[in-house]
Amino acid sequence: MSSAEELAARVREGEIRLHELEDHADADAAAAARRLLVAEASGADLETTGAYAFEAAAAEPNVENMIGAVQIPLGVAGPVTVSGGALSGERYLPLATTEGALVASVNRGCGVLDAAGGATARVTKTGMTRAPAFKTDGIVESEALAAWTRDNADRLREAAESTTSHGEVTDVTPYVVGNNVYLRFRYDTKDAMGMNMATIATGEACELIEAETDASLVALSGNLCTDKKPAAINAIEGRGRSVTADVTIPAAVVADRLHTAPEAVAEINTRKNLVGSAKAGSLGFNAHVANVVAAMFLATGQDAAQVVEGSNAITTAEVTDDGDLYVSVSIASLEVGTVGGGTKLPTQAEGLEILGVRGGGNPAGSNADALAEAIAVGALAGELSLLAALGSRHLSSAHADLGR
Ligand SMILES: CC(C)(COP(=O)([O-])OP(=O)([O-])OC[C@H]1O[C@@H](n2cnc3c(N)ncnc32)[C@H](O)[C@@H]1OP(=O)([O-])[O-])[C@@H](O)C(=O)NCCC(=O)NCCSC(=O)C[C@@](C)(O)CC(=O)[O-]
Ligand SMILES: NC(=O)C1=CN([C@@H]2O[C@H](COP(=O)(O)OP(=O)(O)OC[C@H]3O[C@@H](n4cnc5c(N)ncnc54)[C@H](OP(=O)(O)O)[C@@H]3O)[C@@H](O)[C@H]2O)C=CC1
């Protein structure tokens, strides 16, 4: 009997719990035993799931009850020239996706950006947020807590920053709703996406608040943060990185490479991305920014659930006085890191290496800024290509040819 079969037998007999297998064997054997049990229960053939190319132990901080790995095809778009605040030069953009035509589209967009001399990008605001919910006796006590927070900003900062050597508190804003008070802590988390960092730091600050006021903590996350849910506060105030990429494309390039005209792209953008989105009550005034955010998040080890916030983007397009096409994409809440989370996993770390932003930056925070700028440039390329495909009526034929 193999060690995986022996382990599986012990789970069947109730001697070991499924999630405790790593206490009795190395992580790869534990995953193999779970595959046997899951295959037996479901009838699924898990051979490919088990054919992963890294040591299971490397994924221990990232997943529980591991049975293997899902492989997502990885493509590249570019190279594209970026003139950013943190990222400069030519880069290939890694995109992990199962949507045929997506990489082709972003690749076309990158070619157009390069023909226009490259894209410009800047991070305009930084800050990961956590907003605990406190309960009070009523509005008098709520207002007192809000005032206490303002008066004790330095002590709150000191408590929170005692838990991290990188994180810095940049703001604590109280929001009062009757006998509920939400304190929205904002942190500069440098190269980390920062959700663990901000949560741990905020927990420490909450202990000070409970010790010194009559308010009681109901939930360390009170949903005004807002993490992993569509929320206007992120679109307005920003979360993670707020980042913009833009470009001005000569009309001749639009005609040659995108088979349309600046006027057509600008009109489609207004009627689709602005008016259509407004009528729909959408928070995303763009065509498919989430496509690039998701594909680059998967390729670089970001938290996939935060694609929700990454889709908070506005695309603008207008014809310049010279008859050329100006296009911009502003993503309000792009939550990215180049350390921590899934960024250490082997293929995801390679994805970061393709962009030249693996690990901590010098100065701290510059690598995460550079990653945000790369994603914004990819989103700009994708917006351009899709808007143009709608203009030249190529969307359905492109997907019939490449996406099926
Ligand atoms: C498919 C194209 C690019 C053809 O576009 P084209 O201009 O007919 O193609 P082309 O053969 O002339 O090639 C132009 C460039 O496209 C790239 N390209 C072309 N083919 C490939 C390929 N196989 N692999 C890699 N790159 C490719 C490549 O850069 C190439 O330049 P070259 O290198 O040859 O000088 C175009 O029609 C297109 O971009 N269509 C739009 C497709 C798209 O954006 N899909 C995104 C998903 S849509 C979605 O998910 C969301 C949606 C639509 O529901 C959101 C909404 O409501 O708006
Ligand atoms: N806890 C929660 O509520 C949530 C957690 N998550 C998960 O949180 C994880 C991401 O959290 P995150 O805090 O980013 O990552 P980690 O928890 O992996 O922590 C990253 C740590 O890296 C250290 N570090 C080293 N170099 C740097 C640098 N240059 N810049 C910044 N930090 C550096 C910091 O340590 P130090 O602080 O000591 O300086 C930092 O706290 C993901 O796995 C995500 O899925 C997602 C949503 C919610």
Side-chain angles (χ1 to χ4, degrees):
M1 220 191 272
S2 74
S3 77
E5 282 163 344
E6 272 171 38
L7 286 166
R10 289 171 70 186
V11 173
R12 263 185 233 108
E13 285 154 20
E15 192 193 320
I16 305 178
R17 287 170 190 267
L18 190 70
H19 68 85
E20 289 174 347
L21 281 164
E22 280 80 359
D23 296 341
H24 303 270
D26 68 55
D28 290 298
R34 276 192 206 97
R35 278 198 303 283
L36 286 176
L37 291 161
V38 173
E40 188 179 277
S42 62
D45 177 353
L46 299 178
E47 197 184 333
T48 317
T49 302
Y52 49 89
F54 56 93
E55 288 185 13
E60 274 190 80
N62 300 97
V63 71
E64 298 78 35
N65 270 349
M66 178 167 164
I67 64 168
V70 167
Q71 298 178 45
I72 304 168
L74 179 65
V76 288
V80 59
T81 305
V82 181
S83 170
L87 184 73
S88 285
E90 279 201 335
R91 294 289 190 283
Y92 280 105
L93 307 180
L95 297 149
T97 186
T98 55
E99 184 178 16
L102 177 62
V103 176
S105 179
V106 179
N107 200 30
R108 176 168 81 151
C110 287
V112 172
L113 293 177
D114 256 21
T120 310
R122 289 291 184 280
V123 171
T124 54
K125 193 172 180 182
T126 299
M128 179 47 75
T129 56
R130 183 48 99 200
F134 289 88
K135 181 180 174 185
T136 72
D137 283 344
I139 186 58
V140 172
E141 203 188 285
S142 291
E143 203 284 324
L145 174 56
W148 185 94
T149 304
R150 284 188 285 269
D151 294 345
N152 290 275
D154 287 346
R155 293 176 69 200
L156 283 175
R157 180 180 308 117
E158 205 176 301
E161 291 180 2
S162 70
T163 64
T164 167
S165 57
H166 286 84
E168 291 168 12
V169 178
T170 55
D171 184 48
V172 185
T173 301
Y175 293 82
V176 173
V177 185
N179 63 352
N180 304 284
V181 179
Y182 305 86
L183 299 179
R184 197 169 192 255
F185 284 75
R186 178 180 280 273
Y187 296 85
D188 180 350
T189 57
K190 309 295 177 187
D191 290 306
M193 177 274 279
M195 224 13 332
N196 279 339
M197 183 200 280
T199 303
I200 294 163
T202 305
E204 193 71 20
C206 288
E207 287 189 16
L208 176 69
I209 293 166
E210 281 200 302
E212 303 244 341
T213 73
D214 294 329
S216 52
L217 178 69
V218 177
L220 184 50
S221 167
N223 268 18
L224 218 124
C225 315
T226 296
D227 195 40
K228 302 182 177 175
K229 273 88 61 181
I233 195 165
N234 293 333
I236 297 164
E237 293 293 326
R239 188 168 197 261
R241 260 78 180 172
S242 302
V243 59
T244 293
D246 71 0
V247 67
T248 298
I249 308 162
V253 174
V254 177
D256 286 353
R257 295 192 174 237
L258 292 174
H259 323 304
T260 184
E263 292 77 7
V265 174
E267 182 181 7
I268 293 163
N269 190 67
T270 301
R271 294 185 188 277
K272 170 189 169 62
N273 286 344
L274 305 186
V275 181
S277 298
K279 178 66 179 166
S282 178
L283 287 177
F285 287 68
N286 63 80
H288 69 142
V289 166
N291 259 339
V292 172
V293 172
M296 291 187 71
F297 269 30
L298 291 172
T300 60
Q302 309 304 307
D303 187 326
Q306 292 178 328
V307 173
V308 174
E309 288 88 287
S311 70
N312 274 337
I314 299 177
T315 299
T316 70
E318 60 196 63
V319 181
T320 68
D321 291 345
D322 296 332
D324 298 329
L325 176 65
Y326 172 83
V327 184
S328 75
V329 172
S330 295
I331 309 177
S333 43
L334 190 66
E335 295 139 342
V336 288
T338 58
V339 302
T343 63
K344 270 197 183 155
L345 288 167
T347 52
Q348 289 83 339
E350 287 174 13
L352 290 167
E353 274 176 10
I354 291 173
L355 292 166
V357 298
R358 181 178 177 180
N362 184 14
S366 57
N367 270 0
D369 281 350
L371 175 58
E373 289 175 354
I375 293 173
V377 168
L380 179 66
E383 290 293 277
L384 261 174
S385 185
L386 176 51
L387 289 172
L390 291 165
S392 60
R393 311 219 170 167
H394 279 155
L395 178 64
S396 60
S397 60
H399 283 263
D401 291 348
L402 285 171
R404 309 185 86 183

Short mmCIF file of all heavy atoms in Angstrom, two decimals, residues 61-62 130 163-167 189-200 221 227-228 239 301-304 306 337-342 359-361 363-365, ligand 2:
data_model
loop_
_atom_site.label_atom_id
_atom_site.label_comp_id
_atom_site.label_asym_id
_atom_site.label_seq_id
_atom_site.Cartn_x
_atom_site.Cartn_y
_atom_site.Cartn_z
N PRO A 61 0.54 28.06 3.10
CA PRO A 61 -0.10 29.28 3.61
C PRO A 61 -1.29 29.72 2.77
O PRO A 61 -2.02 30.64 3.15
CB PRO A 61 1.01 30.34 3.49
CG PRO A 61 2.26 29.60 3.18
CD PRO A 61 1.88 28.32 2.55
N ASN A 62 -1.49 29.10 1.61
CA ASN A 62 -2.49 29.60 0.66
C ASN A 62 -3.77 28.79 0.57
O ASN A 62 -4.76 29.26 0.00
CB ASN A 62 -1.88 29.69 -0.75
CG ASN A 62 -0.70 30.63 -0.77
OD1 ASN A 62 0.45 30.21 -0.68
ND2 ASN A 62 -0.97 31.91 -0.84
N ARG A 130 -9.74 49.18 6.32
CA ARG A 130 -10.47 48.23 7.16
C ARG A 130 -11.36 49.07 8.05
O ARG A 130 -10.88 50.04 8.67
CB ARG A 130 -9.47 47.39 7.97
CG ARG A 130 -10.07 46.31 8.83
CD ARG A 130 -11.07 45.44 8.14
NE ARG A 130 -10.63 44.16 7.65
CZ ARG A 130 -11.28 43.47 6.71
NH1 ARG A 130 -12.36 43.94 6.13
NH2 ARG A 130 -10.85 42.30 6.33
N THR A 163 1.98 46.71 15.18
CA THR A 163 1.88 45.32 14.70
C THR A 163 2.60 45.10 13.37
O THR A 163 2.63 43.98 12.86
CB THR A 163 0.39 44.93 14.49
OG1 THR A 163 -0.14 45.76 13.44
CG2 THR A 163 -0.42 45.13 15.76
N THR A 164 3.13 46.15 12.78
CA THR A 164 3.73 46.00 11.44
C THR A 164 4.96 46.89 11.27
O THR A 164 4.98 48.01 11.80
CB THR A 164 2.69 46.34 10.33
OG1 THR A 164 3.35 46.48 9.07
CG2 THR A 164 1.93 47.62 10.61
N SER A 165 5.97 46.38 10.56
CA SER A 165 7.13 47.24 10.34
C SER A 165 7.00 48.01 9.03
O SER A 165 7.76 48.95 8.79
CB SER A 165 8.41 46.39 10.33
OG SER A 165 8.32 45.40 9.35
N HIS A 166 6.03 47.63 8.19
CA HIS A 166 5.88 48.33 6.91
C HIS A 166 4.65 49.23 6.86
O HIS A 166 4.68 50.29 6.23
CB HIS A 166 5.77 47.32 5.76
CG HIS A 166 7.06 46.67 5.41
ND1 HIS A 166 7.56 45.58 6.06
CD2 HIS A 166 7.99 46.98 4.45
CE1 HIS A 166 8.71 45.24 5.55
NE2 HIS A 166 9.02 46.07 4.57
N GLY A 167 3.55 48.81 7.47
CA GLY A 167 2.29 49.53 7.33
C GLY A 167 2.28 50.87 8.07
O GLY A 167 2.86 51.01 9.14
N THR A 189 0.20 50.34 2.73
CA THR A 189 0.70 48.98 3.00
C THR A 189 1.91 48.65 2.12
O THR A 189 2.28 47.48 1.98
CB THR A 189 -0.43 47.94 2.79
OG1 THR A 189 -0.91 48.06 1.44
CG2 THR A 189 -1.57 48.16 3.76
N LYS A 190 2.49 49.67 1.51
CA LYS A 190 3.72 49.52 0.70
C LYS A 190 3.53 48.46 -0.38
O LYS A 190 2.62 48.58 -1.17
CB LYS A 190 4.92 49.21 1.61
CG LYS A 190 5.07 50.18 2.77
CD LYS A 190 5.40 51.58 2.32
CE LYS A 190 5.45 52.52 3.52
NZ LYS A 190 5.59 53.92 3.15
N ASP A 191 4.38 47.41 -0.42
CA ASP A 191 4.27 46.44 -1.52
C ASP A 191 3.27 45.32 -1.24
O ASP A 191 3.07 44.46 -2.10
CB ASP A 191 5.64 45.83 -1.82
CG ASP A 191 6.58 46.84 -2.44
OD1 ASP A 191 6.20 47.44 -3.46
OD2 ASP A 191 7.67 47.06 -1.89
N ALA A 192 2.67 45.30 -0.05
CA ALA A 192 1.67 44.27 0.24
C ALA A 192 0.30 44.78 -0.17
O ALA A 192 0.00 45.96 -0.02
CB ALA A 192 1.67 43.94 1.74
N MET A 193 -0.55 43.87 -0.67
CA MET A 193 -1.96 44.24 -0.88
C MET A 193 -2.51 44.72 0.45
O MET A 193 -3.27 45.68 0.52
CB MET A 193 -2.72 43.04 -1.45
CG MET A 193 -4.21 43.27 -1.66
SD MET A 193 -5.19 42.96 -0.18
CE MET A 193 -5.35 41.19 -0.22
N GLY A 194 -2.16 44.02 1.54
CA GLY A 194 -2.33 44.60 2.86
C GLY A 194 -3.57 44.23 3.65
O GLY A 194 -3.79 44.80 4.72
N MET A 195 -4.37 43.30 3.15
CA MET A 195 -5.60 43.01 3.88
C MET A 195 -5.33 42.33 5.22
O MET A 195 -5.96 42.65 6.23
CB MET A 195 -6.49 42.14 3.01
CG MET A 195 -7.92 42.39 2.87
SD MET A 195 -8.96 43.75 3.31
CE MET A 195 -8.38 44.65 4.64
N ASN A 196 -4.38 41.39 5.27
CA ASN A 196 -4.02 40.81 6.57
C ASN A 196 -3.37 41.87 7.45
O ASN A 196 -3.70 42.01 8.62
CB ASN A 196 -3.03 39.64 6.39
CG ASN A 196 -3.73 38.35 6.00
OD1 ASN A 196 -4.92 38.19 6.22
ND2 ASN A 196 -2.97 37.43 5.43
N MET A 197 -2.44 42.60 6.87
CA MET A 197 -1.71 43.62 7.62
C MET A 197 -2.68 44.64 8.24
O MET A 197 -2.61 44.95 9.44
CB MET A 197 -0.74 44.34 6.68
CG MET A 197 0.14 45.38 7.34
SD MET A 197 0.78 46.53 6.12
CE MET A 197 2.13 45.63 5.41
N ALA A 198 -3.61 45.14 7.44
CA ALA A 198 -4.55 46.17 7.92
C ALA A 198 -5.52 45.59 8.95
O ALA A 198 -5.91 46.28 9.90
CB ALA A 198 -5.32 46.75 6.73
N THR A 199 -5.88 44.34 8.77
CA THR A 199 -6.83 43.72 9.71
C THR A 199 -6.17 43.52 11.07
O THR A 199 -6.76 43.83 12.12
CB THR A 199 -7.32 42.37 9.13
OG1 THR A 199 -7.89 42.63 7.85
CG2 THR A 199 -8.37 41.73 10.03
N ILE A 200 -4.94 43.03 11.06
CA ILE A 200 -4.22 42.81 12.33
C ILE A 200 -3.98 44.15 13.03
O ILE A 200 -4.21 44.31 14.23
CB ILE A 200 -2.88 42.07 12.05
CG1 ILE A 200 -3.17 40.65 11.53
CG2 ILE A 200 -2.01 42.03 13.31
CD1 ILE A 200 -1.98 39.97 10.86
N SER A 221 -14.53 43.72 10.79
CA SER A 221 -14.87 44.26 9.47
C SER A 221 -16.35 44.58 9.46
O SER A 221 -17.18 43.68 9.61
CB SER A 221 -14.57 43.25 8.36
OG SER A 221 -15.19 43.71 7.16
N ASP A 227 -14.53 45.30 1.33
CA ASP A 227 -13.71 44.27 0.69
C ASP A 227 -14.57 43.23 -0.01
O ASP A 227 -15.49 42.68 0.57
CB ASP A 227 -12.87 43.58 1.78
CG ASP A 227 -11.72 42.77 1.20
OD1 ASP A 227 -11.09 43.25 0.24
OD2 ASP A 227 -11.45 41.66 1.70
N LYS A 228 -14.29 43.00 -1.29
CA LYS A 228 -14.88 41.89 -2.04
C LYS A 228 -16.39 42.01 -2.26
O LYS A 228 -17.07 41.01 -2.39
CB LYS A 228 -14.53 40.54 -1.39
CG LYS A 228 -13.02 40.33 -1.30
CD LYS A 228 -12.63 39.01 -0.71
CE LYS A 228 -11.11 38.86 -0.73
NZ LYS A 228 -10.62 37.67 -0.08
N ARG A 239 -9.45 52.46 -3.03
CA ARG A 239 -9.02 51.41 -2.08
C ARG A 239 -7.87 50.68 -2.76
O ARG A 239 -7.95 50.39 -3.97
CB ARG A 239 -10.18 50.47 -1.79
CG ARG A 239 -9.89 49.46 -0.67
CD ARG A 239 -11.16 48.75 -0.23
NE ARG A 239 -10.99 48.11 1.06
CZ ARG A 239 -10.74 46.82 1.24
NH1 ARG A 239 -10.63 46.01 0.21
NH2 ARG A 239 -10.60 46.33 2.45
N GLY A 301 -0.70 36.15 -8.80
CA GLY A 301 -0.93 35.74 -7.41
C GLY A 301 -1.71 36.72 -6.57
O GLY A 301 -1.58 36.75 -5.35
N GLN A 302 -2.57 37.52 -7.22
CA GLN A 302 -3.41 38.44 -6.44
C GLN A 302 -4.64 37.69 -5.94
O GLN A 302 -4.92 36.57 -6.34
CB GLN A 302 -3.83 39.63 -7.33
CG GLN A 302 -2.68 40.31 -8.05
CD GLN A 302 -1.59 40.78 -7.09
OE1 GLN A 302 -1.88 41.49 -6.13
NE2 GLN A 302 -0.34 40.39 -7.34
N ASP A 303 -5.39 38.33 -5.03
CA ASP A 303 -6.61 37.72 -4.48
C ASP A 303 -7.72 37.89 -5.52
O ASP A 303 -8.21 39.00 -5.76
CB ASP A 303 -6.97 38.41 -3.16
CG ASP A 303 -8.11 37.72 -2.45
OD1 ASP A 303 -9.01 37.19 -3.12
OD2 ASP A 303 -8.11 37.73 -1.20
N ALA A 304 -8.15 36.76 -6.11
CA ALA A 304 -9.07 36.82 -7.25
C ALA A 304 -10.40 37.48 -6.88
O ALA A 304 -11.04 38.11 -7.73
CB ALA A 304 -9.31 35.41 -7.79
N GLN A 306 -10.95 40.03 -5.33
CA GLN A 306 -10.86 41.50 -5.39
C GLN A 306 -10.95 42.05 -6.80
O GLN A 306 -10.83 43.27 -7.01
CB GLN A 306 -9.60 41.98 -4.66
CG GLN A 306 -9.73 41.71 -3.16
CD GLN A 306 -8.51 42.09 -2.35
OE1 GLN A 306 -7.39 42.00 -2.85
NE2 GLN A 306 -8.71 42.50 -1.12
N GLY A 337 -0.55 43.51 -4.65
CA GLY A 337 0.69 43.40 -3.89
C GLY A 337 1.72 42.58 -4.64
O GLY A 337 1.36 41.77 -5.51
N THR A 338 2.99 42.83 -4.32
CA THR A 338 4.06 42.01 -4.92
C THR A 338 4.77 41.19 -3.85
O THR A 338 5.73 40.49 -4.13
CB THR A 338 5.08 42.91 -5.65
OG1 THR A 338 5.61 43.85 -4.72
CG2 THR A 338 4.42 43.65 -6.81
N VAL A 339 4.32 41.33 -2.59
CA VAL A 339 4.75 40.43 -1.51
C VAL A 339 3.48 39.92 -0.84
O VAL A 339 2.42 40.53 -0.95
CB VAL A 339 5.63 41.13 -0.44
CG1 VAL A 339 6.87 41.74 -1.04
CG2 VAL A 339 4.83 42.21 0.29
N GLY A 340 3.59 38.78 -0.14
CA GLY A 340 2.47 38.26 0.63
C GLY A 340 1.44 37.56 -0.24
O GLY A 340 1.55 37.49 -1.46
N GLY A 341 0.43 37.00 0.42
CA GLY A 341 -0.67 36.33 -0.28
C GLY A 341 -0.18 35.27 -1.24
O GLY A 341 0.69 34.46 -0.91
N GLY A 342 -0.71 35.28 -2.46
CA GLY A 342 -0.36 34.25 -3.44
C GLY A 342 0.87 34.60 -4.27
O GLY A 342 1.23 33.85 -5.19
N GLY A 359 8.53 40.71 -5.41
CA GLY A 359 9.05 41.04 -4.08
C GLY A 359 8.93 42.52 -3.72
O GLY A 359 8.23 43.28 -4.37
N GLY A 360 9.65 42.89 -2.68
CA GLY A 360 9.59 44.27 -2.19
C GLY A 360 10.32 45.22 -3.12
O GLY A 360 11.36 44.87 -3.68
N GLY A 361 9.79 46.41 -3.27
CA GLY A 361 10.42 47.40 -4.16
C GLY A 361 11.36 48.32 -3.40
O GLY A 361 11.41 48.32 -2.19
N PRO A 363 12.04 52.35 -3.53
CA PRO A 363 11.56 52.30 -2.15
C PRO A 363 10.37 51.36 -1.99
O PRO A 363 9.71 51.04 -2.99
CB PRO A 363 11.15 53.75 -1.88
CG PRO A 363 10.74 54.28 -3.22
CD PRO A 363 11.67 53.63 -4.21
N ALA A 364 10.10 50.96 -0.72
CA ALA A 364 8.97 50.07 -0.46
C ALA A 364 7.69 50.68 -1.01
O ALA A 364 7.42 51.86 -0.82
CB ALA A 364 8.85 49.82 1.05
N GLY A 365 6.93 49.85 -1.70
CA GLY A 365 5.68 50.31 -2.31
C GLY A 365 5.81 50.52 -3.80
O GLY A 365 4.81 50.51 -4.52
N1 LIG B 2 -7.42 39.11 6.93
C1 LIG B 2 -8.38 39.46 6.10
O1 LIG B 2 -9.41 39.97 6.50
C2 LIG B 2 -8.20 39.23 4.65
C3 LIG B 2 -7.11 38.58 4.15
N2 LIG B 2 -6.95 38.43 2.80
C4 LIG B 2 -5.75 37.73 2.38
O2 LIG B 2 -4.67 38.52 2.86
C5 LIG B 2 -3.50 38.20 2.12
C6 LIG B 2 -2.81 39.49 1.77
O3 LIG B 2 -2.58 40.19 2.96
P1 LIG B 2 -1.22 40.99 3.09
O4 LIG B 2 -1.28 41.72 4.37
O5 LIG B 2 -0.96 41.76 1.85
O6 LIG B 2 -0.12 39.84 3.04
P2 LIG B 2 0.56 38.95 4.16
O7 LIG B 2 -0.38 38.63 5.27
O8 LIG B 2 1.19 37.83 3.43
O9 LIG B 2 1.64 39.94 4.80
C7 LIG B 2 2.60 40.55 4.06
C8 LIG B 2 3.70 41.02 4.99
O10 LIG B 2 4.90 41.12 4.26
C9 LIG B 2 5.77 41.95 4.99
N3 LIG B 2 6.57 42.73 4.03
C10 LIG B 2 7.83 42.44 3.64
N4 LIG B 2 8.27 43.31 2.73
C11 LIG B 2 7.27 44.20 2.52
C12 LIG B 2 7.12 45.33 1.68
N5 LIG B 2 8.08 45.74 0.85
N6 LIG B 2 5.95 46.00 1.70
C13 LIG B 2 4.95 45.61 2.50
N7 LIG B 2 5.03 44.55 3.33
C14 LIG B 2 6.18 43.83 3.34
C15 LIG B 2 4.92 42.82 5.90
O11 LIG B 2 5.29 42.50 7.23
P3 LIG B 2 5.18 43.59 8.41
O12 LIG B 2 3.71 43.90 8.55
O13 LIG B 2 5.72 42.85 9.59
O14 LIG B 2 5.96 44.79 8.04
C16 LIG B 2 3.50 42.38 5.57
O15 LIG B 2 2.64 42.41 6.69
C17 LIG B 2 -3.97 37.45 0.88
O16 LIG B 2 -3.67 36.08 1.06
C18 LIG B 2 -5.46 37.66 0.90
O17 LIG B 2 -6.13 36.62 0.25
C19 LIG B 2 -7.85 38.95 1.91
C20 LIG B 2 -8.95 39.63 2.35
C21 LIG B 2 -9.26 39.76 3.75
#
